[in-house]
Amino acid sequence: MRLLAISGSGRQASTNTAMLRALSFAAQPDHQVIVYDGIGDLPIFSPDLEAKPLPQAVQDLADLIERSDGLIIASPEYVRGIPGGLKNAIDWFVSRKEIVDKPIVLMHASHRGDDMLAQLRIILSTVSSRFSEAVFLRYGLMKMSPEEIAVFFETGNPRAELARFICRLAAHCSHCEPEADFP
């Protein structure tokens, strides 16, 4: 099963990206988790740019989404809302087919962010018929460096929780068929 983990952060040292990388390392051999951290590379959405060819960065993300069995989104909260880069990425896919029936779940790397999560749940349940609120994992990782986050998830209960989370997502994706190889 191929899972695409999308970081909603544009920060180089993002806690959400570091958490998603730890998730990719915790994946069992029958699951592959690809981390997408290029949210800042996407051009600002405009319906005028939706015609083919799409901007290359958007096409690359569309291809990753198309080839995935499910999506995991982890994002910080900015001013009690969804970061502009993540909202922009979602806007690019509102009228496209890639996420309409794609299983989508959330992870969160902070004890804060409930307002953003509520907004994101509304948006994702609107754009995908397979968004699941039930499959969710949250950690309080604020103020930790990516290296500290990697160590936190290397052993013990946190690593086991990541593995269980992947299994829950895999069960949510259970009727998805494999597609072309991931890059």
Side-chain angles (χ1 to χ4, degrees), residues 63-137:
D63 292 344
L64 286 171
I65 293 170
E66 183 69 30
R67 291 190 306 253
S68 70
D69 296 307
L71 304 179
I72 304 150
I73 298 175
S75 179
E77 176 183 68
Y78 291 154
V79 197
R80 297 181 64 187
I82 300 168
L86 179 58
K87 179 63 170 79
N88 181 57
I90 294 168
D91 288 347
W92 272 108
F93 292 94
V94 166
S95 63
R96 298 183 54 81
K97 65 178 176 56
E98 288 88 358
I99 64 171
V100 172
D101 292 319
K102 190 69 64 175
I104 302 174
V105 300
L106 296 176
M107 288 183 75
H108 194 59
S110 174
H111 64 285
R112 299 186 316 206
D114 291 335
D115 292 335
M116 181 278 301
L117 289 168
Q119 293 167 20
L120 196 51
R121 286 178 176 117
I122 290 168
I123 291 168
L124 293 175
S125 65
T126 301
V127 299
S128 173
S129 63
R130 307 245 355 257
F131 171 69
S132 173
E133 279 193 54
V135 182
F136 176 68
L137 189 59

Side-chain angles (χ1 to χ4, degrees), residues 1-3 28 30-33 69-72 103 105 130 135 162-177:
M1 179 164 291
R2 288 173 296 280
L3 304 169
Q28 302 301 314
D30 51 345
H31 298 113
Q32 180 184 21
V33 178
D69 296 307
L71 304 179
I72 304 150
V105 300
R130 307 245 355 257
V135 182
L162 292 177
R164 285 191 299 274
F165 177 77
I166 291 171
C167 289
R168 290 178 60 212
L169 175 53
H172 180 58
C173 297
S174 65
H175 75 269
C176 295
E177 294 298 320

